[in-house]
Amino acid sequence: MLKHLWKHEIKTQGKTMCGLYGVLAGSAVLVSVVKLCSQYFGGAAAENFYAIMAGIYTMTAAVIAVAGFIYLCVHFYQSMYSAQGYLTHTLPVSAGQILNTKIAVSSGYLFLTGLLLAAAFLLLAMIGDHSDVTEFFVLFTDEMGEAELGITKMQLLAFIVVLFALGCVDSLLLFFAGSSIGQLAKRSRAAFGIAASIGLSYATQILSLIAMVAAAFCLQGNYKPETVCRWVMAGMIAMLLVWAAVYYTISRIIVCRHLNLE
C-alpha cells in the first residue's frame, strides 16, 4: 500500500506542477523565438520588443516559483488536516509513513522546480548577453580561487547542490511544522498555522544568527583560508540539517499523537 501511496502522491502533485513546468517551457520557447526574430530583423523596435518579452519571461519564472511553493504547502495542509485528511488517514499505512511520503515528494518537486528555474535563467543569459554565462562559469574554472580555498570544483558544485536541496526540504518543513502547530488551536487553525510558521521562521533566523556570530568569534585567529572555508561550508549544511530535524520532529509528533482534523 505504501508503494501505491507514493504513486498517488507523485501523480496528484504532478498534475499541477507539470502544468507550471509547461508554462515555463512555453515561455522559454516564446522568448527564444522572439530573440531569433529580433536578430533576424534587427532594429531598435525588435530589440525593445525582446527586452519586454525577456522581462515578462523573468516575471513568469518568478510567479511559477512562488505558485509552485504555495501549491505544495496548500496541498499538504488540505490532504493532511482539512476535510481531505479524513480520507488520507484512513489508508492502511501509518501517519508517519504518510508524512514521510508527502515530505519526500513535495521536496522532490520543489528541487526540480529550482533546477528548471536555473535552466530557464541560464537560457535567458545564453540567448542574451553571453558575458553573464561566462562570469558564472568562471566560478568553476578559476584555479587560483580553487587553490586559495582548498576545495576542488566538484566539491564546490556538490556543496551548492546539497545546500540547495536542503534549503528546499527546510523551507517546506518549516511550513509543514507551522501547519501542524496550527492544528493545536481550537479555531482558525489555518491562520494559526501561518502565524506559527512565521514565528518559527523568525525564531530560527535569530538562533541561526547567534550561532553564526559565535562561530565567527571562534574562528578568529591565524586559521588558513581553506580551513575557514571548510568550516563555513560544514556549518551551513549542519545548520540546515538541525532545523530540518526540528521541523520534522514537530510535524511527526503532532501528526502521530495530536492529529485534530477540521
Side-chain angles (χ1 to χ4, degrees):
M1 187 61 196
L2 183 60
K3 182 179 180 181
H4 293 291
L5 176 62
W6 273 85
K7 290 182 178 179
H8 173 76
E9 198 65 30
I10 293 172
K11 182 178 179 180
T12 301
Q13 295 188 28
K15 290 179 180 179
T16 299
M17 297 304 295
C18 289
L20 294 176
Y21 299 156
V23 173
L24 181 63
S27 301
V29 172
L30 180 60
V31 75
S32 300
V33 171
V34 171
K35 178 60 178 179
L36 292 175
C37 292
S38 67
Q39 291 176 339
Y40 179 79
F41 293 105
E47 288 297 328
N48 290 335
F49 183 65
Y50 165 71
I52 294 173
M53 292 303 299
I56 295 175
Y57 176 66
T58 302
M59 290 187 291
T60 300
V63 169
I64 287 174
V66 175
F69 180 79
I70 292 176
Y71 165 73
L72 293 174
C73 293
V74 172
H75 173 76
F76 173 83
Y77 181 84
Q78 290 181 340
S79 60
M80 288 292 286
Y81 299 127
S82 69
Q84 296 180 21
Y86 288 99
L87 178 60
T88 301
H89 293 288
T90 58
L91 298 174
V93 291
S94 67
Q97 290 175 325
I98 294 174
L99 176 65
N100 294 339
T101 301
K102 290 185 177 296
I103 291 173
V105 175
S106 298
S107 298
Y109 274 119
L110 188 59
F111 182 75
L112 178 58
T113 302
L115 292 181
L116 293 177
L117 289 173
F121 285 111
L122 181 61
L123 172 65
L124 186 61
M126 290 178 64
I127 64 177
D129 186 1
H130 293 278
S131 63
D132 295 335
V133 182
T134 303
E135 292 175 1
F136 175 78
F137 281 104
V138 164
L139 180 65
F140 299 101
T141 58
D142 187 356
E143 296 181 359
M144 183 178 296
E146 181 179 342
E148 290 178 354
L149 297 178
I151 57 175
T152 65
K153 290 171 284 190
M154 290 305 299
Q155 287 175 333
L156 179 59
L157 180 60
F159 169 72
I160 293 174
V161 173
V162 170
L163 196 68
F164 176 68
L166 288 176
C168 291
V169 176
D170 262 44
S171 59
L172 285 173
L173 281 175
L174 171 63
F175 180 85
F176 293 175
S179 299
S180 300
I181 294 174
Q183 301 313 298
L184 301 178
K186 294 182 179 180
R187 57 183 180 180
S188 302
R189 295 171 186 166
F192 190 77
I194 293 174
S197 299
I198 296 173
L200 276 176
S201 177
Y202 179 75
T204 53
Q205 293 298 324
I206 294 296
L207 293 175
S208 298
L209 178 60
I210 294 173
M212 286 189 292
V213 172
F217 179 78
C218 294
L219 288 174
Q220 286 181 347
N222 298 322
Y223 289 99
K224 295 180 179 180
E226 58 267 26
T227 302
V228 175
C229 179
R230 291 180 182 276
W231 274 104
V232 169
M233 292 169 64
M236 293 174 68
I237 292 176
M239 189 174 296
L240 287 174
L241 287 172
V242 167
W243 290 129
V246 171
Y247 301 147
Y248 175 78
T249 301
I250 293 173
S251 301
R252 187 177 179 88
I253 290 175
I254 294 176
V255 167
C256 296
R257 300 182 183 179
H258 305 283
L259 188 62
N260 187 20
L261 300 180
E262 293 181 353

